[in-house]
């Protein structure tokens, strides 16, 4: 399978037909529009529509899907900077990693200032490929930054504000075969402690350890392995007061959210780990997945676990009795699944006894201040409805967040003396700072609960109705629907502002983002609905939700389309192969052959499907490639040629089979793209071609944008 989450943060993709690195199956004819349509604008132009709408003009009646919109594919591809982690420098200013589509997805460390400044030179990029999805690519202490450089995967040290160049800390092995992630500075020894993934002997089964990197002197030293023997490690976290380190580890066939262990080790005088204690996860009678260990300013170990209730809540370790006690419990999720390293869903506020925490409950995030001794929480009111990482100062903190009208951003929040109320809230970084001009065109998601195919059981989704102040649908017409199946599948749709969604809704499409059974955010029981039922529960829920909208008169049952990326691409293909709900689909780096994926995918997910699929018969029966005869509608596929998670053979096999069957099909391949598209031109191209593909084959309308179509086999 694949995700994934990463995927969770990627926009659908798109570029111009002549873009370098783009491989198309078939020639590119010019699409001659035969139907009358409203006046169109080029995909790169801006529209005066907001001003016209504000002037009180009556919306023009036009077919759903044909509406003119200023939210073009150029706007979408240029607006989506990515966020790759945050940290506080010694002067209290924020550092973050941003991914820039205009620089082919380069990940840059930036420091907060009146005019934010790049910390690393142009020839460097802060990104690790550990476990393929990376994360935790940098750490900072005072004015020293240690980061993983994407090109060679070596660690470098950069002193900020000096103009000096980064200095390598780890050996050059001749190839980027050793990666580092989730590192921290060791206050007791002059070193950097990090997760290390070594692929020199095997790229499919690399060795993962926790290792230390010497920071003294100018020489490059071989990393020293501190912990080894298990399949995976994360969160090495060192107590500032005593020579102790906590970490998380887990082994096949588990994923970190299935079952993991929290350990504490004690350093000897030479820095080796001697005594070790299993804090949580070692009891075979108690299934839990502890995560996010952190030492408090007083040297107490806090962490998050889903023991007992099945919800990730906050706990504390009592060292002298080796007991775990709850700190704050609620039927809500206080963290998210460990797809990427470096997650930080809570943090200690300065040296006080307070924790800034976030949790997610029934489709919405909440922010609070926990007083550790009393266990009481004061909720804080800020404009974000979805929250992720947080880092803290003394009476302030920075938090990543978004809402239905605010794109992914970082805000600085200052509290009053009681630490219970917000004094100030200011956004210091935005993935899309110019989107406010398009606000009249934003469709607000409706959180819906719908019945599944299992009697008495419900699931959840976000429904975005079509909205454009310049247009309204024709009388007695219902809009087409595009259903999105999120990646993971252990992930969650979040109902936040995403211009790639508004691209559809502002043109007259309804859009549905489904949190099918197996999604996160609703506890372990909901997450485990998908165990041995991937390709069944997710497919049923997506089809059930689409029918639910049809039955409620929200959408046109003859124009139901579906799209998904990675694992969502699998759910898309499975929905098209094994159900007759949808009339067309788009798969972005999706899985077609479960057995092939299991054989070829990377170590992190190499056993993931075993729990999701089950036995060998299920692997065969739920692979869309084995049942091409059951496909009855058009499909368009998009694939990165450097994808190590879902290799290109998957898309090619589906394309070849559907072409031979005689169904309309198209395949777009991108050179230089991995799992998820990062280049602006590819993001643009994919988005436009999906829109045009659906319009030509099932839409019954003409798109307003001037788009050159690719050739569709068995159609053009």
């Amino acid at each position: 399978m694949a995700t994934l989450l990463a995927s969770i943060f990627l926009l659908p993709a798109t570029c111009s037909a002549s873009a370098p690195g783009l491989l198309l199956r078939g020639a590119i004819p010019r699409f001659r529009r035969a139907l009358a349509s409203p006046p169109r604008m080029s995909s790169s132009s801006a529209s005066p529509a907001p001003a016209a709408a504000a002037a009180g003009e009556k919306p023009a009646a036009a077919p759903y899907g044909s509406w003119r919109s200023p939210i073009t594919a150029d706007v979408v591809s240029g607006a989506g900077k990515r966020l790759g982690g945050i940290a506080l420098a010694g002067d209290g200013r924020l550092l973050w990693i941003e991914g820039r589509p205009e620089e082919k997805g380069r990940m840059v460390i930036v420091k907060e200032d009146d005019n934010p400044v790049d910390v690393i030179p142009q020839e460097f990029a802060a990104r690790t490929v550990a476990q393929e999805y990376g994360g935790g690519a940098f750490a900072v202490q005072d004015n020293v930054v240690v980061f993983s450089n994407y090109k060679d995967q070596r660690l470098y040290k950069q002193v900020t504000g000096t103009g000096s160049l980064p200095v390598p800390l780890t050996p050059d092995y001749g190839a980027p075969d050793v990666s580092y992630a989730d590192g921290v500075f060791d206050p007791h020894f002059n070193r950097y402690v990090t997760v290390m993934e070594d692929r020199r002997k095997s790229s499919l089964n690399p060795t993962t350890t926790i290792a230390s990197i010497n920071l003294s002197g100018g020489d490059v030293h071989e990393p020293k392995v501190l912990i080894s023997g298990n399949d995976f490690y994360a969160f090495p976290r060192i107590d500032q007061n005593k020579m102790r380190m906590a970490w998380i580890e887990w082994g096949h066939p588990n994923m970190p959210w299935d079952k993991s262990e929290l350990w504490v080790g004690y350093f000897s005088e030479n820095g080796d780990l001697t005594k070790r204690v299993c804090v949580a996860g070692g009891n075979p009678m108690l299934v839990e997945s502890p995560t996010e260990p952190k030492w408090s300013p007083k040297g107490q170990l806090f962490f998050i676990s889903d023991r007992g209730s099945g919800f990730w809540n906050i706990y504390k370790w009592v060292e002298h009795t080796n007991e775990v006690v709850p700190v704050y419990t609620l039927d809500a999720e206080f963290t998210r699944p460990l797809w990427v390293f470096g997650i930080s869903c809570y943090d200690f506020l300065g040296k006080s006894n307070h924790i800034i925490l976030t949790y997610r409950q029934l489709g919405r995030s909440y922010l609070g201040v926990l007083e550790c001794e009393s266990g009481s929480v004061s909720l804080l009111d800020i404009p974000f409805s979805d929250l992720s990482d947080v880092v803290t100062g003394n009476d302030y903190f920075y938090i990543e967040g978004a809402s239905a009208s605010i794109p992914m951003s970082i805000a600085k929040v200052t509290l009053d003396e009681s630490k219970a109320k917000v004094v100030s809230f200011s956004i210091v970084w935005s993935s899309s700072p110019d989107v406010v001009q398009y606000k009249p065109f934003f469709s607000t998601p409706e959180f819906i609960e719908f019945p599944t195919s299992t009697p008495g059981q419900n699931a959840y989704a976000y429904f975005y109705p079509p909205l454009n102040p310049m247009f309204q649908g024709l009388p007695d017409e219902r809009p087409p629907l595009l259903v999105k199946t999120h990646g993971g599948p252990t992930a969650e749709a979040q109902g936040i502002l995403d211009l790639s969604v508004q691209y559809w809704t502002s043109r007259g499409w309804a859009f549905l983002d489904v949190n099918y059974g197996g999604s996160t955010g609703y506890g372990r029981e909901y997450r485990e609905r998908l165990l041995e039922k991937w390709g069944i529960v997710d497919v049923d829920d997506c089809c059930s939700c689409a029918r639910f909208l049809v039955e409620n008169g929200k959408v046109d049952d003859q124009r139901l389309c579906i799209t998904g990326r990675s694992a969502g691409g699998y759910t898309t293909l499975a929905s098209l192969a094994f159900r007759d709900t949808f009339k067309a689909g788009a798969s972005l780096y999706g899985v077609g052959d479960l057995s092939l994926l299991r054989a070829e995918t990377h170590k992190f997910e190499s056993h993931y499907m075993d729990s999701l699929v089950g036995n060998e018969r299920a692997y065969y029966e739920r692979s869309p490639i084995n049942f091409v005869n059951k496909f009855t509608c058009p499909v368009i596929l998009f694939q990165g040629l450097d994808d190590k998670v879902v290799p290109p053979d998957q898309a090619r096999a589906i394309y070849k089979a559907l072409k031979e069957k005689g169904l309309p099909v198209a395949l777009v391949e991108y050179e230089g793209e991995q799992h998820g598209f990062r280049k602006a031109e590819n993001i643009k191209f994919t988005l436009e071609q999906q829109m045009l593909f659906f319009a030509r084959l099932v839409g019954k309308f003409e798109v307003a944008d001037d788009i050159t179509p690719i050739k569709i086999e068995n159609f053009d």
Side-chain angles (χ1 to χ4, degrees):
M1 170 259 59
T3 295
L4 300 223
L5 212 241
S7 97
I8 286 187
F9 306 121
L10 302 178
L11 297 172
T14 26
C15 96
S16 84
S18 60
L22 173 64
L23 305 178
L24 303 180
R25 299 293 178 177
I28 307 178
R30 185 67 185 174
F31 178 35
R32 298 184 180 277
R33 298 173 178 82
L35 302 175
S37 65
R40 67 174 59 90
M41 54 191 285
S42 74
S43 63
S44 60
S45 62
S47 169
E57 292 185 8
K58 183 179 179 180
Y64 286 111
S66 70
W67 301 350
R68 188 173 67 250
S69 171
I71 305 175
T72 65
D74 280 310
V75 169
V76 175
S77 63
K81 290 183 179 178
R82 301 181 59 193
L83 195 56
I86 56 178
L88 277 188
D91 60 5
R93 292 184 179 268
L94 187 72
L95 275 72
W96 65 87
I97 294 180
E98 66 180 35
R100 298 171 177 170
E102 72 276 11
E103 296 184 34
K104 301 186 182 302
R106 175 174 170 251
M107 306 297 282
V108 186
I109 301 177
V110 183
K111 186 173 183 181
E112 177 189 13
D113 206 335
D114 293 336
N115 293 302
V117 295
D118 291 359
V119 171
I120 59 176
Q122 179 69 33
E123 61 270 27
F124 289 84
R127 180 181 166 201
T128 175
V129 297
Q131 289 184 186
E132 288 301 324
Y133 301 117
F138 84 114
V140 59
Q141 177 177 270
D142 298 326
N143 67 335
V144 177
V145 176
V146 172
F147 70 95
S148 173
N149 184 45
Y150 176 58
K151 186 176 181 179
D152 57 14
Q153 289 295 290
R154 299 172 71 186
L155 287 179
Y156 286 78
K157 179 173 70 173
Q158 170 82 63
V159 181
T160 63
T162 63
S164 60
L165 292 174
V167 176
L169 295 174
T170 54
D172 181 358
Y173 296 111
D177 290 335
V178 181
S179 298
Y180 309 88
D182 211 6
V184 292
F185 289 86
D186 187 340
H188 310 294
F189 306 92
N190 190 20
R191 61 185 183 178
Y192 188 75
V193 176
T194 179
V195 175
M196 181 171 73
E197 183 180 82
D198 189 341
R199 299 180 296 279
R200 285 176 291 177
K201 292 183 179 179
S202 172
S203 60
L204 286 179
N205 189 32
T207 300
T208 303
T209 58
I210 294 178
S212 64
I213 314 296
N214 193 341
L215 295 177
S216 60
D219 296 333
V220 172
H221 300 278
E222 191 73 24
K224 178 182 179 180
V225 173
L226 299 176
I227 304 170
S228 63
N230 214 332
D231 292 309
F232 304 100
Y233 296 93
F235 294 111
R237 298 295 183 260
I238 299 173
D239 180 11
Q240 299 286 318
N241 303 296
K242 300 178 181 178
M243 293 201 298
R244 302 179 293 178
M245 181 174 75
W247 69 91
I248 298 293
E249 63 179 65
W250 68 98
H252 288 318
N254 295 307
M255 297 299 283
W257 49 81
D258 294 326
K259 193 176 190 304
S260 59
E261 295 176 354
L262 167 60
W263 286 77
V264 169
Y266 298 80
F267 292 124
S268 63
E269 291 184 359
N270 66 358
D272 291 331
L273 279 167
T274 53
K275 177 185 174 184
R276 304 182 188 187
V277 177
C278 184
V279 171
N283 182 353
M285 304 302 294
L286 179 64
V287 177
E288 62 176 321
S289 52
T291 184
E292 284 203 64
K294 288 187 178 180
W295 298 96
S296 75
K298 295 181 178 179
Q300 294 178 305
L301 180 63
F302 288 70
F303 65 97
I304 295 175
S305 181
D306 59 351
R307 54 169 50 202
S309 70
F311 287 91
W312 275 312
N313 287 180
I314 297 181
Y315 291 84
K316 181 174 66 174
W317 178 50
V318 181
E319 182 181 18
H320 69 278
T321 59
N322 194 24
E323 290 181 290
V324 169
V325 297
V327 176
Y328 190 72
T329 58
L330 191 67
D331 284 351
E333 300 281 47
F334 285 72
T335 189
R336 56 190 188 274
L338 185 63
W339 280 111
V340 297
F341 289 105
I343 293 172
S344 179
C345 293
Y346 73 102
D347 201 6
F348 298 95
L349 194 60
K351 297 185 180 300
S352 71
N353 202 32
H354 294 79
I355 291 176
I356 302 296
L357 56 80
T358 67
Y359 64 84
R360 194 151 179 86
Q361 190 175 50
L362 288 178
R364 180 182 175 85
S365 292
Y366 297 86
L367 175 68
V369 181
L370 169 66
E371 206 289 313
C372 295
E373 294 301 326
S374 67
S376 63
V377 169
S378 301
L379 292 181
L380 302 176
D381 185 19
I382 62 172
F384 294 153
S385 60
D386 180 83
L387 302 166
S388 46
D389 290 343
V390 59
V391 295
T392 60
N394 290 321
D395 59 353
Y396 66 93
F397 59 91
Y398 292 88
I399 189 160
E400 302 171 8
S403 74
S405 59
I406 303 173
M408 178 55 67
S409 305
I410 306 173
K412 182 177 182 179
V413 182
T414 304
L415 301 179
D416 64 2
E417 290 185 4
S418 69
K419 298 181 175 57
K421 291 184 178 180
V422 173
V423 172
S424 66
F425 173 94
S426 59
I427 291 179
V428 299
W429 177 87
S430 172
S431 61
S432 309
D434 300 325
V435 299
V436 65
Q437 63 184 302
Y438 307 111
K439 192 170 183 178
F441 294 82
F442 291 165
S443 174
T444 301
E446 303 170 12
F447 182 74
I448 62 173
E449 185 173 358
F450 63 92
T452 71
S453 58
T454 301
Q457 184 185 82
N458 291 343
Y460 309 95
Y462 296 97
F463 173 65
Y464 298 78
L467 184 129
N468 185 318
M470 296 291 293
F471 297 97
Q472 61 185 0
L474 299 177
D476 302 322
E477 183 195 15
R478 293 190 177 94
L481 173 70
L482 182 59
V483 174
K484 178 187 172 185
T485 58
H486 67 67
T490 308
E492 181 186 5
Q494 294 164 304
I496 60 176
L497 180 61
D498 182 343
L499 288 186
S500 67
V501 174
Q502 305 299 329
Y503 174 85
W504 294 90
T505 57
S506 64
R507 283 166 172 72
W509 281 76
F511 194 97
L512 181 69
D513 214 346
V514 185
N515 275 321
Y516 47 77
S519 301
T520 57
Y522 304 91
R524 180 182 282 266
E525 182 179 344
Y526 193 90
R527 194 168 72 239
E528 291 185 346
R529 286 185 187 179
L530 210 57
L531 293 183
E532 299 190 358
K533 292 184 179 180
W534 191 33
I536 298 175
V537 167
D538 51 325
V539 169
D540 283 347
D541 286 356
C542 290
C543 294
S544 294
C545 197
R547 288 195 296 267
F548 177 78
L549 294 176
V550 169
E551 291 165 2
N552 282 273
K554 299 285 189 181
V555 297
D556 184 351
D557 67 341
Q558 296 303 306
R559 293 189 290 176
L560 304 178
C561 300
I562 187 168
T563 185
R565 315 167 203 169
S566 189
Y570 166 72
T571 300
T572 293
L573 293 172
S575 296
L576 299 174
F578 306 128
R579 304 289 189 278
D580 58 3
T581 302
F582 300 102
K583 307 303 180 184
S587 170
L588 284 66
Y589 40 95
V591 180
D593 187 332
L594 294 173
S595 296
L596 182 62
L597 179 67
R598 179 176 56 173
E600 294 185 342
T601 198
H602 57 135
K603 178 183 177 182
F604 179 56
E605 294 182 83
S606 59
H607 291 269
Y608 183 29
M609 290 181 299
D610 292 343
S611 62
L612 293 174
V613 179
N615 58 37
E616 291 300 321
R617 181 177 177 180
Y619 270 91
Y620 180 85
E621 292 181 344
R622 291 191 221 148
S623 293
I625 189 62
N626 298 326
F627 297 92
V628 175
N629 61 308
K630 292 189 175 184
F631 280 83
T632 58
C633 66
V635 181
I636 186 168
L637 306 124
F638 300 88
Q639 180 68 45
L641 293 181
D642 292 346
D643 195 335
K644 299 294 193 300
V645 179
V646 181
D649 287 349
Q650 297 262 330
R652 290 171 177 169
I654 290 285
Y655 169 77
K656 181 175 182 291
L658 294 180
K659 180 181 176 182
E660 291 175 353
K661 187 187 178 186
L663 283 175
V665 63
L667 170 61
V668 179
E669 296 180 324
Y670 297 117
E671 291 181 340
E673 291 283 19
Q674 298 176 318
H675 195 65
F677 305 147
R678 294 171 178 264
K679 300 177 182 179
E681 64 268 25
N682 296 343
I683 295 171
K684 175 180 184 293
F685 192 84
T686 307
L687 192 56
E688 288 185 333
Q689 292 303 324
Q690 283 186 86
M691 171 71 72
L692 193 54
F693 185 84
F694 293 147
R696 295 180 67 191
L697 291 160
V698 301
K700 301 179 184 176
F701 59 82
E702 255 191 82
V703 297
D705 304 276
D706 187 12
I707 304 171
T708 301
I710 62 173
K711 180 181 178 181
I712 302 171
E713 295 292 341
N714 302 318
F715 182 76
D716 289 313

